[in-house]
Amino acid sequence: MAKLNWGMIGGGEGSQIGPAHRLAAGLDGAFTFAAGALDHRADAGRDYGQRLGLVPDRAYGDWREMLGAERARADRLDLVTVATPNATHFEITKAFLEAGFNVLCEKPMTMTVDEGEEIVRLAERSGRICAVNYGYTGYALVRHMRAMVARGDLGRIRVVVAEFAHGHHADAADADNPRVRWRYDPAQAGVSAQFADCGIHAMHMASFVTGQNVERLSADIVSTIDSRVLEDDAMVNFRMDGGTVGRLWTSSIALGRQHGLTLQVFGETGGLRWAQEQPNQLYHMPLGGRLQVIERGEGNLSPEADRASRVTVGHAEGMPLAFANIYADMAETIRAQKDGRAMDPAANLYPRAEDGLRSMAAVFAVAQSGKADGAWVDARPPMFRAEA
């Protein structure tokens, strides 16, 4: 089976996210890294791309050059990953979708709700795939949680509790560090800092696992370091369209927490608990039973979990392999489209443009509610309110 052609925009030398994407895209042998515009400095991007193995005429100086050249090639890219600064996501994603490319965009997909709605409509019109890298949903046991909820193992879901709290911005003396300061500056970050950076991962995971969308929310946001304009800690209560009650805490000043992404789901007949820092274990408490530890890679898990697991039980699988499951989903989807066949339903789990749009609507709802002392506000994008 011929490999699919993959290209990347951003993720240059020294990038935090670039290596994770390159490892993930190449892990299963489905994609060839064929083209890239990896740096805002044209010469640096071309040089780094060639050192990574790109042929010179596909190591581009910027994304516009890449778009112009790739759209004219017979061996054009099957998938483009956008891993540039947040404020550029909309323009680049829109341009490549309009040119007929499938796109995987880093979160946030856009900086405004209007932009998000435009991307959703464009993806629908073009027939192209627009995915958003909520990569933590690629973990095998997160997918197993979703399968357990969907098949009714927990009964009706009553409450979901999500957290994404770390302490890496807790030092007030570090407030003027340029790598930290921009995150709390509205001119660069938009209307939200910590919730937009980390909270939307936790909220999306709550929706992914429960199969429900957030309808309304109430937020208490605070800047615990006086020099910060935007929040570094937020508590969000929300209600979902299937009746589930949601609780979410996100923080960047929680000393002692490292990554801090956790999810708990409580239903009528059971509860589940999973933490990203211990991703190989899922804790299941059946009503009237004993606490069970489900291990990634063990027998008799769901098809979704089995497909997302690569190594034998007891060995660690981490974030790049979770990202790789998003790429595996994309590869299966693209191949199914090319072959004119139905895709494997266990692979139909990649986060869509609609998820990116709902996240951006939640960001603005949290900012609005926080300024209004926690007033309950509609968290749905306008285009989805009209459909309700």
Side-chain angles (χ1 to χ4, degrees), residues 212-250:
Q212 300 179 39
N213 295 309
V214 177
E215 287 194 322
R216 56 196 180 97
L217 60 79
S218 167
D220 179 17
I221 60 177
V222 63
S223 303
T224 64
I225 294 177
D226 292 340
S227 61
R228 291 175 178 166
V229 176
L230 299 175
E231 85 287 350
D232 53 23
D233 190 278
M235 180 67 74
V236 182
N237 293 311
F238 57 92
R239 300 292 186 270
M240 308 185 84
D241 57 13
T244 294
V245 173
R247 316 290 190 197
L248 188 154
W249 172 50
T250 186

Side-chain angles (χ1 to χ4, degrees), residues 84-141:
T84 54
N86 294 355
T88 67
H89 289 178
F90 169 69
E91 180 183 19
I92 300 172
T93 297
K94 178 183 177 183
F96 276 84
L97 285 174
E98 288 176 333
F101 291 91
N102 298 308
V103 177
L104 171 60
C105 183
E106 263 298 330
K107 49 71 58 178
M109 182 178 74
T110 63
M111 294 295 286
T112 71
V113 177
D114 287 345
E115 290 175 347
E117 292 193 341
E118 186 173 348
I119 292 296
V120 168
R121 292 190 176 102
L122 176 56
E124 291 174 350
R125 289 196 308 269
S126 69
R128 296 296 89 194
I129 299 164
C130 183
V132 184
N133 190 41
Y134 291 107
Y136 303 114
T137 61
Y139 278 104
L141 289 181

Side-chain angles (χ1 to χ4, degrees), residues 347-361:
N348 194 19
L349 297 177
Y350 65 90
R352 269 69 167 177
E354 290 85 350
D355 299 301
L357 169 59
R358 289 186 185 277
S359 292
M360 188 47 55

